[in-house]
Amino acid sequence: MYWFFNYNNYDTRAIQALVYSAYKHNPHFIPICLWDEPKYKDPELKNWLESRGVLVLDHPPILDLSKQFDIIKRYSDDLGWGINPLTVNGCWQKVDVPKICYDMDILDKYVLLTDPDCLWIDEFVLETEPPILAAATEEEPLDDYISGGIYVWNLLRSINDYNHFLFYCMQNFDKLGHGDNVGYLKYYGYQNLTILSPDWNYKVYWQELPNGLRLSPKNRTQFKANPRLLHFQGHSKPWMNFASYYKKWYGDDIVQQIEKYYKIWWSYYEKSQKIEFRFENSSTSIDKFDSKLIKSTPINRMCQLIPTI
């Protein structure tokens, strides 16, 4: 299965831990890292990824977001979010995955993407085949708002919809904020998306109750979830060590829980530095696509009629 993730100028350690965790639990993945020169400059990380069989793909987003950043910043400031151009760049880079697959002649029925602040701790299993797009909810229980942390595209349908979806985003950008996830939600409608188990978007700040259930700080209701893909969203990133931020919801107990997951993350990162590894399908993927795609232009045969914003 093709697995995409974007660098998005994250901490190098985040990417290395993510990649090693994917190799450990999903060595059959064909990994592709979405890059964007010259915005992202980390030649050492790029070499590290390529030596482990990751195809590093230089792909600026098709949507020209430079003129829209003021709108995005106002939207995020209203919600109390911190936002910067690279974060926005990464959000809209993700929606081009169907286009990239079209260019690369990828014929798989489904392709997968995760955010760079995730960590695999189990083998990925697609429990429900999506007719369009599968995503997890932002919080549990279902809150009619999807997360951009994990996507599974039905590739044929997504390729067919790609141009129309981009036009929709251009026409409605002021209503979407900075979010690719909001774009998908409004374009398709929540009822038409396939919702993945919260196991695949497991937030380490969900309180783990003695009865085996979880408690979300947003909805304050209990639900079932088992960690299979950790998503260190917001302030919960191990390399930032902001576990104390969540005390305001749960008190001191949550700090101990989050630090438990921090230890898991650090163990994967440390192994990524000590263990030599390479994805088993990597050589085939790189041989097949290096000459064809790496040197291609961002506006290709599929999107040449789409104007910039």
Side-chain angles (χ1 to χ4, degrees):
M1 188 176 201
Y2 287 87
W3 166 55
F4 290 80
F5 62 96
N6 54 338
Y7 169 39
N8 206 18
N9 218 37
Y10 257 64
D11 191 297
T12 296
R13 296 168 294 180
I15 303 301
Q16 291 173 329
L18 170 64
V19 170
Y20 175 72
S21 73
Y23 169 79
K24 179 175 175 59
H25 297 288
N26 299 278
H28 58 283
F29 276 174
I30 302 175
I32 300 176
C33 177
L34 300 179
W35 205 267
D36 187 359
E37 295 278 5
K39 298 183 183 74
Y40 308 156
K41 294 182 179 180
D42 193 336
E44 290 185 7
L45 175 61
K46 193 172 184 179
N47 291 336
W48 185 93
L49 290 168
E50 290 174 339
S51 70
R52 281 144 182 89
V54 178
L55 181 61
V56 178
L57 178 62
D58 187 13
H59 178 82
I62 292 298
L63 284 175
D64 178 7
L65 299 169
S66 59
K67 299 175 183 178
Q68 298 298 318
F69 185 71
D70 287 343
I71 295 174
I72 298 166
K73 190 173 187 309
R74 287 198 301 272
Y75 178 87
S76 63
D77 288 348
D78 288 344
L79 295 176
W81 297 346
I83 205 71
N84 63 65
L86 292 178
T87 303
V88 174
N89 194 75
C91 285
W92 291 101
Q93 205 178 32
K94 292 187 288 186
V95 306
D96 291 338
V97 166
K99 161 208 172 309
I100 292 168
C101 291
Y102 177 87
D103 289 347
M104 296 171 74
D105 294 327
I106 292 175
L107 302 177
D108 291 34
K109 191 172 183 180
Y110 304 105
V111 295
L112 168 70
L113 174 140
T114 60
D115 268 353
D117 56 350
C118 291
L119 190 79
W120 294 98
I121 59 174
D122 202 352
E123 180 181 5
F124 179 68
V125 177
L126 183 58
E127 296 159 345
T128 303
E129 296 186 350
I132 304 175
L133 174 74
T137 56
E138 189 66 63
E139 293 291 346
E140 292 293 322
L142 299 180
D143 58 1
D144 291 357
Y145 188 80
I146 62 169
S147 170
I150 179 170
Y151 290 141
V152 181
W153 285 273
N154 180 309
L155 201 48
L156 180 60
R157 173 63 186 266
S158 299
I159 288 172
N160 287 337
D161 289 351
Y162 176 79
N163 279 4
H164 288 146
F165 174 69
L166 247 63
F167 278 123
Y168 171 83
C169 292
M170 291 175 186
Q171 294 166 356
N172 297 278
F173 203 85
D174 58 333
K175 301 175 184 177
L176 304 182
H178 78 284
D180 51 289
N181 54 337
V182 180
Y184 279 128
L185 185 65
K186 291 184 178 294
Y187 181 76
Y188 287 116
Y190 186 84
Q191 70 279 5
N192 295 316
L193 301 177
T194 301
I195 303 303
L196 298 172
S197 162
D199 300 3
W200 302 114
N201 190 42
Y202 193 93
K203 309 296 178 56
V204 300
Y205 54 76
W206 288 340
Q207 188 177 16
E208 298 176 349
L209 303 174
N211 62 5
L213 298 178
R214 308 294 183 249
L215 183 67
S216 165
K218 179 178 179 180
N219 294 320
R220 304 303 296 177
T221 53
Q222 299 180 20
F223 59 95
K224 292 182 180 180
N226 294 302
R228 303 180 75 180
L229 176 71
L230 302 179
H231 189 182
F232 295 95
Q233 185 170 319
H235 293 79
S236 66
K237 294 171 176 48
W239 56 95
M240 296 170 64
N241 197 25
F242 283 165
S244 59
Y245 173 84
Y246 295 92
K247 290 173 64 174
K248 61 183 179 182
W249 285 303
Y250 298 123
D252 292 333
D253 290 347
I254 196 64
V255 176
Q256 184 175 359
Q257 176 189 304
I258 293 175
E259 288 178 345
K260 174 187 72 174
Y261 286 110
Y262 281 6
K263 289 179 181 178
I264 293 173
W265 184 90
W266 280 108
S267 71
Y268 277 89
Y269 168 70
E270 290 168 0
K271 289 175 182 176
S272 77
Q273 303 303 295
K274 297 176 182 177
I275 297 175
E276 292 295 326
F277 66 94
R278 185 179 176 86
F279 284 86
E280 60 189 33
N281 292 323
S282 59
S283 59
T284 302
S285 64
I286 289 179
D287 290 345
K288 183 177 180 182
F289 301 124
D290 181 66
S291 61
K292 179 177 181 181
L293 187 67
I294 297 299
K295 299 176 183 178
S296 71
T297 56
I299 308 296
N300 59 40
R301 64 185 186 278
M302 184 179 182
C303 299
Q304 56 188 301
L305 298 180
I306 296 182
T308 55
I309 295 175

PDB file of all heavy atoms in Angstrom, residues 168-194:
ATOM      1  N   TYR A 168     -13.853  24.031  -6.161  1.00  0.00           N
ATOM      2  CA  TYR A 168     -14.731  24.314  -5.030  1.00  0.00           C
ATOM      3  C   TYR A 168     -13.961  25.046  -3.931  1.00  0.00           C
ATOM      4  O   TYR A 168     -14.455  26.024  -3.354  1.00  0.00           O
ATOM      5  CB  TYR A 168     -15.314  23.012  -4.482  1.00  0.00           C
ATOM      6  CG  TYR A 168     -16.074  23.181  -3.183  1.00  0.00           C
ATOM      7  CD1 TYR A 168     -17.406  23.593  -3.191  1.00  0.00           C
ATOM      8  CD2 TYR A 168     -15.453  22.953  -1.957  1.00  0.00           C
ATOM      9  CE1 TYR A 168     -18.107  23.768  -2.005  1.00  0.00           C
ATOM     10  CE2 TYR A 168     -16.143  23.127  -0.771  1.00  0.00           C
ATOM     11  CZ  TYR A 168     -17.464  23.534  -0.791  1.00  0.00           C
ATOM     12  OH  TYR A 168     -18.144  23.715   0.376  1.00  0.00           O
ATOM     13  N   CYS A 169     -12.768  24.575  -3.621  1.00  0.00           N
ATOM     14  CA  CYS A 169     -11.955  25.207  -2.569  1.00  0.00           C
ATOM     15  C   CYS A 169     -11.587  26.637  -2.951  1.00  0.00           C
ATOM     16  O   CYS A 169     -11.596  27.541  -2.108  1.00  0.00           O
ATOM     17  CB  CYS A 169     -10.704  24.382  -2.300  1.00  0.00           C
ATOM     18  SG  CYS A 169     -11.033  22.783  -1.524  1.00  0.00           S
ATOM     19  N   MET A 170     -11.254  26.864  -4.223  1.00  0.00           N
ATOM     20  CA  MET A 170     -10.935  28.215  -4.665  1.00  0.00           C
ATOM     21  C   MET A 170     -12.120  29.152  -4.476  1.00  0.00           C
ATOM     22  O   MET A 170     -11.968  30.300  -4.030  1.00  0.00           O
ATOM     23  CB  MET A 170     -10.543  28.187  -6.148  1.00  0.00           C
ATOM     24  CG  MET A 170      -9.234  27.517  -6.446  1.00  0.00           C
ATOM     25  SD  MET A 170      -8.979  27.450  -8.239  1.00  0.00           S
ATOM     26  CE  MET A 170      -7.482  26.465  -8.306  1.00  0.00           C
ATOM     27  N   GLN A 171     -13.290  28.669  -4.807  1.00  0.00           N
ATOM     28  CA  GLN A 171     -14.484  29.505  -4.757  1.00  0.00           C
ATOM     29  C   GLN A 171     -14.977  29.742  -3.330  1.00  0.00           C
ATOM     30  O   GLN A 171     -15.699  30.716  -3.076  1.00  0.00           O
ATOM     31  CB  GLN A 171     -15.594  28.863  -5.581  1.00  0.00           C
ATOM     32  CG  GLN A 171     -15.288  28.806  -7.066  1.00  0.00           C
ATOM     33  CD  GLN A 171     -16.220  27.867  -7.816  1.00  0.00           C
ATOM     34  OE1 GLN A 171     -17.065  27.201  -7.213  1.00  0.00           O
ATOM     35  NE2 GLN A 171     -16.063  27.796  -9.123  1.00  0.00           N
ATOM     36  N   ASN A 172     -14.598  28.857  -2.412  1.00  0.00           N
ATOM     37  CA  ASN A 172     -15.142  28.925  -1.049  1.00  0.00           C
ATOM     38  C   ASN A 172     -14.063  29.039   0.012  1.00  0.00           C
ATOM     39  O   ASN A 172     -14.286  28.679   1.169  1.00  0.00           O
ATOM     40  CB  ASN A 172     -15.989  27.674  -0.773  1.00  0.00           C
ATOM     41  CG  ASN A 172     -17.190  27.584  -1.677  1.00  0.00           C
ATOM     42  OD1 ASN A 172     -18.215  28.201  -1.432  1.00  0.00           O
ATOM     43  ND2 ASN A 172     -17.056  26.811  -2.749  1.00  0.00           N
ATOM     44  N   PHE A 173     -12.907  29.567  -0.383  1.00  0.00           N
ATOM     45  CA  PHE A 173     -11.764  29.532   0.517  1.00  0.00           C
ATOM     46  C   PHE A 173     -12.028  30.255   1.822  1.00  0.00           C
ATOM     47  O   PHE A 173     -11.587  29.834   2.889  1.00  0.00           O
ATOM     48  CB  PHE A 173     -10.542  30.121  -0.178  1.00  0.00           C
ATOM     49  CG  PHE A 173      -9.249  29.647   0.403  1.00  0.00           C
ATOM     50  CD1 PHE A 173      -8.677  28.464  -0.017  1.00  0.00           C
ATOM     51  CD2 PHE A 173      -8.611  30.373   1.391  1.00  0.00           C
ATOM     52  CE1 PHE A 173      -7.493  28.015   0.525  1.00  0.00           C
ATOM     53  CE2 PHE A 173      -7.424  29.932   1.945  1.00  0.00           C
ATOM     54  CZ  PHE A 173      -6.872  28.744   1.504  1.00  0.00           C
ATOM     55  N   ASP A 174     -12.776  31.365   1.765  1.00  0.00           N
ATOM     56  CA  ASP A 174     -13.019  32.144   2.973  1.00  0.00           C
ATOM     57  C   ASP A 174     -13.884  31.385   3.972  1.00  0.00           C
ATOM     58  O   ASP A 174     -13.930  31.740   5.155  1.00  0.00           O
ATOM     59  CB  ASP A 174     -13.675  33.474   2.627  1.00  0.00           C
ATOM     60  CG  ASP A 174     -14.988  33.307   1.882  1.00  0.00           C
ATOM     61  OD1 ASP A 174     -15.144  32.284   1.197  1.00  0.00           O
ATOM     62  OD2 ASP A 174     -15.852  34.198   1.986  1.00  0.00           O
ATOM     63  N   LYS A 175     -14.557  30.314   3.533  1.00  0.00           N
ATOM     64  CA  LYS A 175     -15.403  29.522   4.419  1.00  0.00           C
ATOM     65  C   LYS A 175     -14.677  28.292   4.962  1.00  0.00           C
ATOM     66  O   LYS A 175     -15.190  27.606   5.845  1.00  0.00           O
ATOM     67  CB  LYS A 175     -16.657  29.056   3.674  1.00  0.00           C
ATOM     68  CG  LYS A 175     -17.497  30.190   3.123  1.00  0.00           C
ATOM     69  CD  LYS A 175     -18.653  29.648   2.292  1.00  0.00           C
ATOM     70  CE  LYS A 175     -19.439  30.787   1.652  1.00  0.00           C
ATOM     71  NZ  LYS A 175     -20.527  30.277   0.771  1.00  0.00           N
ATOM     72  N   LEU A 176     -13.503  28.007   4.418  1.00  0.00           N
ATOM     73  CA  LEU A 176     -12.802  26.773   4.780  1.00  0.00           C
ATOM     74  C   LEU A 176     -11.710  27.003   5.809  1.00  0.00           C
ATOM     75  O   LEU A 176     -11.151  26.038   6.326  1.00  0.00           O
ATOM     76  CB  LEU A 176     -12.192  26.136   3.530  1.00  0.00           C
ATOM     77  CG  LEU A 176     -13.155  25.834   2.383  1.00  0.00           C
ATOM     78  CD1 LEU A 176     -12.410  25.158   1.241  1.00  0.00           C
ATOM     79  CD2 LEU A 176     -14.314  24.973   2.860  1.00  0.00           C
ATOM     80  N   GLY A 177     -11.361  28.270   6.092  1.00  0.00           N
ATOM     81  CA  GLY A 177     -10.229  28.505   6.970  1.00  0.00           C
ATOM     82  C   GLY A 177      -8.966  27.993   6.294  1.00  0.00           C
ATOM     83  O   GLY A 177      -8.772  28.184   5.101  1.00  0.00           O
ATOM     84  N   HIS A 178      -8.127  27.313   7.047  1.00  0.00           N
ATOM     85  CA  HIS A 178      -6.904  26.792   6.439  1.00  0.00           C
ATOM     86  C   HIS A 178      -6.996  25.294   6.215  1.00  0.00           C
ATOM     87  O   HIS A 178      -6.038  24.661   5.805  1.00  0.00           O
ATOM     88  CB  HIS A 178      -5.703  27.079   7.344  1.00  0.00           C
ATOM     89  CG  HIS A 178      -5.592  26.137   8.509  1.00  0.00           C
ATOM     90  ND1 HIS A 178      -6.394  26.235   9.619  1.00  0.00           N
ATOM     91  CD2 HIS A 178      -4.797  25.050   8.711  1.00  0.00           C
ATOM     92  CE1 HIS A 178      -6.086  25.266  10.475  1.00  0.00           C
ATOM     93  NE2 HIS A 178      -5.119  24.546   9.947  1.00  0.00           N
ATOM     94  N   GLY A 179      -8.162  24.698   6.452  1.00  0.00           N
ATOM     95  CA  GLY A 179      -8.207  23.255   6.612  1.00  0.00           C
ATOM     96  C   GLY A 179      -8.572  22.461   5.386  1.00  0.00           C
ATOM     97  O   GLY A 179      -9.637  22.652   4.796  1.00  0.00           O
ATOM     98  N   ASP A 180      -7.697  21.565   4.980  1.00  0.00           N
ATOM     99  CA  ASP A 180      -8.028  20.576   3.965  1.00  0.00           C
ATOM    100  C   ASP A 180      -9.186  19.706   4.438  1.00  0.00           C
ATOM    101  O   ASP A 180     -10.064  19.321   3.665  1.00  0.00           O
ATOM    102  CB  ASP A 180      -6.818  19.704   3.673  1.00  0.00           C
ATOM    103  CG  ASP A 180      -6.199  19.132   4.950  1.00  0.00           C
ATOM    104  OD1 ASP A 180      -5.605  19.930   5.700  1.00  0.00           O
ATOM    105  OD2 ASP A 180      -6.323  17.931   5.204  1.00  0.00           O
ATOM    106  N   ASN A 181      -9.202  19.406   5.748  1.00  0.00           N
ATOM    107  CA  ASN A 181     -10.266  18.558   6.285  1.00  0.00           C
ATOM    108  C   ASN A 181     -11.632  19.248   6.181  1.00  0.00           C
ATOM    109  O   ASN A 181     -12.647  18.613   5.880  1.00  0.00           O
ATOM    110  CB  ASN A 181      -9.973  18.153   7.729  1.00  0.00           C
ATOM    111  CG  ASN A 181      -9.700  19.326   8.646  1.00  0.00           C
ATOM    112  OD1 ASN A 181      -9.304  20.399   8.206  1.00  0.00           O
ATOM    113  ND2 ASN A 181      -9.898  19.130   9.936  1.00  0.00           N
ATOM    114  N   VAL A 182     -11.665  20.559   6.413  1.00  0.00           N
ATOM    115  CA  VAL A 182     -12.928  21.285   6.280  1.00  0.00           C
ATOM    116  C   VAL A 182     -13.373  21.300   4.819  1.00  0.00           C
ATOM    117  O   VAL A 182     -14.562  21.187   4.508  1.00  0.00           O
ATOM    118  CB  VAL A 182     -12.795  22.730   6.812  1.00  0.00           C
ATOM    119  CG1 VAL A 182     -14.117  23.478   6.678  1.00  0.00           C
ATOM    120  CG2 VAL A 182     -12.344  22.716   8.263  1.00  0.00           C
ATOM    121  N   GLY A 183     -12.412  21.409   3.909  1.00  0.00           N
ATOM    122  CA  GLY A 183     -12.742  21.368   2.490  1.00  0.00           C
ATOM    123  C   GLY A 183     -13.421  20.071   2.102  1.00  0.00           C
ATOM    124  O   GLY A 183     -14.470  20.068   1.443  1.00  0.00           O
ATOM    125  N   TYR A 184     -12.836  18.950   2.520  1.00  0.00           N
ATOM    126  CA  TYR A 184     -13.438  17.654   2.208  1.00  0.00           C
ATOM    127  C   TYR A 184     -14.808  17.516   2.860  1.00  0.00           C
ATOM    128  O   TYR A 184     -15.758  16.996   2.265  1.00  0.00           O
ATOM    129  CB  TYR A 184     -12.538  16.517   2.689  1.00  0.00           C
ATOM    130  CG  TYR A 184     -11.400  16.186   1.757  1.00  0.00           C
ATOM    131  CD1 TYR A 184     -10.086  16.125   2.211  1.00  0.00           C
ATOM    132  CD2 TYR A 184     -11.640  15.919   0.416  1.00  0.00           C
ATOM    133  CE1 TYR A 184      -9.045  15.818   1.353  1.00  0.00           C
ATOM    134  CE2 TYR A 184     -10.599  15.610  -0.448  1.00  0.00           C
ATOM    135  CZ  TYR A 184      -9.303  15.552   0.019  1.00  0.00           C
ATOM    136  OH  TYR A 184      -8.290  15.242  -0.837  1.00  0.00           O
ATOM    137  N   LEU A 185     -14.914  17.971   4.081  1.00  0.00           N
ATOM    138  CA  LEU A 185     -16.166  17.832   4.829  1.00  0.00           C
ATOM    139  C   LEU A 185     -17.297  18.587   4.131  1.00  0.00           C
ATOM    140  O   LEU A 185     -18.399  18.060   3.953  1.00  0.00           O
ATOM    141  CB  LEU A 185     -15.971  18.346   6.254  1.00  0.00           C
ATOM    142  CG  LEU A 185     -17.134  18.174   7.226  1.00  0.00           C
ATOM    143  CD1 LEU A 185     -17.401  16.702   7.473  1.00  0.00           C
ATOM    144  CD2 LEU A 185     -16.822  18.867   8.548  1.00  0.00           C
ATOM    145  N   LYS A 186     -17.030  19.820   3.717  1.00  0.00           N
ATOM    146  CA  LYS A 186     -18.071  20.626   3.098  1.00  0.00           C
ATOM    147  C   LYS A 186     -18.351  20.187   1.662  1.00  0.00           C
ATOM    148  O   LYS A 186     -19.476  20.295   1.173  1.00  0.00           O
ATOM    149  CB  LYS A 186     -17.679  22.111   3.147  1.00  0.00           C
ATOM    150  CG  LYS A 186     -17.697  22.707   4.551  1.00  0.00           C
ATOM    151  CD  LYS A 186     -17.402  24.188   4.524  1.00  0.00           C
ATOM    152  CE  LYS A 186     -17.467  24.790   5.925  1.00  0.00           C
ATOM    153  NZ  LYS A 186     -18.843  24.747   6.475  1.00  0.00           N
ATOM    154  N   TYR A 187     -17.342  19.693   0.977  1.00  0.00           N
ATOM    155  CA  TYR A 187     -17.522  19.293  -0.424  1.00  0.00           C
ATOM    156  C   TYR A 187     -18.361  18.019  -0.527  1.00  0.00           C
ATOM    157  O   TYR A 187     -19.300  17.935  -1.330  1.00  0.00           O
ATOM    158  CB  TYR A 187     -16.164  19.098  -1.084  1.00  0.00           C
ATOM    159  CG  TYR A 187     -16.236  18.708  -2.545  1.00  0.00           C
ATOM    160  CD1 TYR A 187     -16.539  19.664  -3.517  1.00  0.00           C
ATOM    161  CD2 TYR A 187     -15.979  17.402  -2.953  1.00  0.00           C
ATOM    162  CE1 TYR A 187     -16.596  19.318  -4.860  1.00  0.00           C
ATOM    163  CE2 TYR A 187     -16.039  17.054  -4.295  1.00  0.00           C
ATOM    164  CZ  TYR A 187     -16.342  18.012  -5.244  1.00  0.00           C
ATOM    165  OH  TYR A 187     -16.410  17.666  -6.575  1.00  0.00           O
ATOM    166  N   TYR A 188     -18.020  17.018   0.268  1.00  0.00           N
ATOM    167  CA  TYR A 188     -18.700  15.730   0.172  1.00  0.00           C
ATOM    168  C   TYR A 188     -19.885  15.600   1.127  1.00  0.00           C
ATOM    169  O   TYR A 188     -20.814  14.841   0.859  1.00  0.00           O
ATOM    170  CB  TYR A 188     -17.715  14.590   0.453  1.00  0.00           C
ATOM    171  CG  TYR A 188     -16.734  14.346  -0.660  1.00  0.00           C
ATOM    172  CD1 TYR A 188     -15.375  14.545  -0.485  1.00  0.00           C
ATOM    173  CD2 TYR A 188     -17.171  13.908  -1.913  1.00  0.00           C
ATOM    174  CE1 TYR A 188     -14.471  14.315  -1.509  1.00  0.00           C
ATOM    175  CE2 TYR A 188     -16.272  13.677  -2.947  1.00  0.00           C
ATOM    176  CZ  TYR A 188     -14.922  13.874  -2.740  1.00  0.00           C
ATOM    177  OH  TYR A 188     -14.042  13.651  -3.756  1.00  0.00           O
ATOM    178  N   GLY A 189     -19.820  16.288   2.247  1.00  0.00           N
ATOM    179  CA  GLY A 189     -20.840  16.098   3.275  1.00  0.00           C
ATOM    180  C   GLY A 189     -20.446  14.951   4.194  1.00  0.00           C
ATOM    181  O   GLY A 189     -19.967  13.900   3.742  1.00  0.00           O
ATOM    182  N   TYR A 190     -20.610  15.171   5.475  1.00  0.00           N
ATOM    183  CA  TYR A 190     -20.165  14.191   6.475  1.00  0.00           C
ATOM    184  C   TYR A 190     -20.773  12.814   6.228  1.00  0.00           C
ATOM    185  O   TYR A 190     -20.118  11.787   6.382  1.00  0.00           O
ATOM    186  CB  TYR A 190     -20.545  14.701   7.866  1.00  0.00           C
ATOM    187  CG  TYR A 190     -20.024  13.864   9.007  1.00  0.00           C
ATOM    188  CD1 TYR A 190     -18.730  14.059   9.490  1.00  0.00           C
ATOM    189  CD2 TYR A 190     -20.804  12.883   9.595  1.00  0.00           C
ATOM    190  CE1 TYR A 190     -18.238  13.306  10.533  1.00  0.00           C
ATOM    191  CE2 TYR A 190     -20.325  12.116  10.643  1.00  0.00           C
ATOM    192  CZ  TYR A 190     -19.042  12.335  11.110  1.00  0.00           C
ATOM    193  OH  TYR A 190     -18.554  11.569  12.144  1.00  0.00           O
ATOM    194  N   GLN A 191     -22.041  12.792   5.807  1.00  0.00           N
ATOM    195  CA  GLN A 191     -22.756  11.532   5.661  1.00  0.00           C
ATOM    196  C   GLN A 191     -22.202  10.678   4.523  1.00  0.00           C
ATOM    197  O   GLN A 191     -22.453   9.472   4.468  1.00  0.00           O
ATOM    198  CB  GLN A 191     -24.255  11.783   5.435  1.00  0.00           C
ATOM    199  CG  GLN A 191     -24.613  12.396   4.092  1.00  0.00           C
ATOM    200  CD  GLN A 191     -24.414  13.902   4.027  1.00  0.00           C
ATOM    201  OE1 GLN A 191     -23.908  14.504   4.966  1.00  0.00           O
ATOM    202  NE2 GLN A 191     -24.833  14.512   2.919  1.00  0.00           N
ATOM    203  N   ASN A 192     -21.434  11.263   3.618  1.00  0.00           N
ATOM    204  CA  ASN A 192     -20.895  10.526   2.476  1.00  0.00           C
ATOM    205  C   ASN A 192     -19.464  10.052   2.687  1.00  0.00           C
ATOM    206  O   ASN A 192     -18.907   9.370   1.822  1.00  0.00           O
ATOM    207  CB  ASN A 192     -20.961  11.394   1.215  1.00  0.00           C
ATOM    208  CG  ASN A 192     -22.387  11.695   0.808  1.00  0.00           C
ATOM    209  OD1 ASN A 192     -23.235  10.806   0.812  1.00  0.00           O
ATOM    210  ND2 ASN A 192     -22.661  12.940   0.469  1.00  0.00           N
ATOM    211  N   LEU A 193     -18.863  10.417   3.821  1.00  0.00           N
ATOM    212  CA  LEU A 193     -17.507   9.986   4.122  1.00  0.00           C
ATOM    213  C   LEU A 193     -17.523   8.729   4.981  1.00  0.00           C
ATOM    214  O   LEU A 193     -18.485   8.467   5.700  1.00  0.00           O
ATOM    215  CB  LEU A 193     -16.758  11.114   4.846  1.00  0.00           C
ATOM    216  CG  LEU A 193     -16.641  12.425   4.075  1.00  0.00           C
ATOM    217  CD1 LEU A 193     -15.946  13.481   4.923  1.00  0.00           C
ATOM    218  CD2 LEU A 193     -15.901  12.219   2.765  1.00  0.00           C
ATOM    219  N   THR A 194     -16.468   7.951   4.883  1.00  0.00           N
ATOM    220  CA  THR A 194     -16.315   6.748   5.699  1.00  0.00           C
ATOM    221  C   THR A 194     -15.507   7.113   6.937  1.00  0.00           C
ATOM    222  O   THR A 194     -14.399   7.664   6.820  1.00  0.00           O
ATOM    223  CB  THR A 194     -15.593   5.647   4.904  1.00  0.00           C
ATOM    224  OG1 THR A 194     -16.361   5.361   3.722  1.00  0.00           O
ATOM    225  CG2 THR A 194     -15.438   4.386   5.731  1.00  0.00           C
TER     226      THR A 194
END
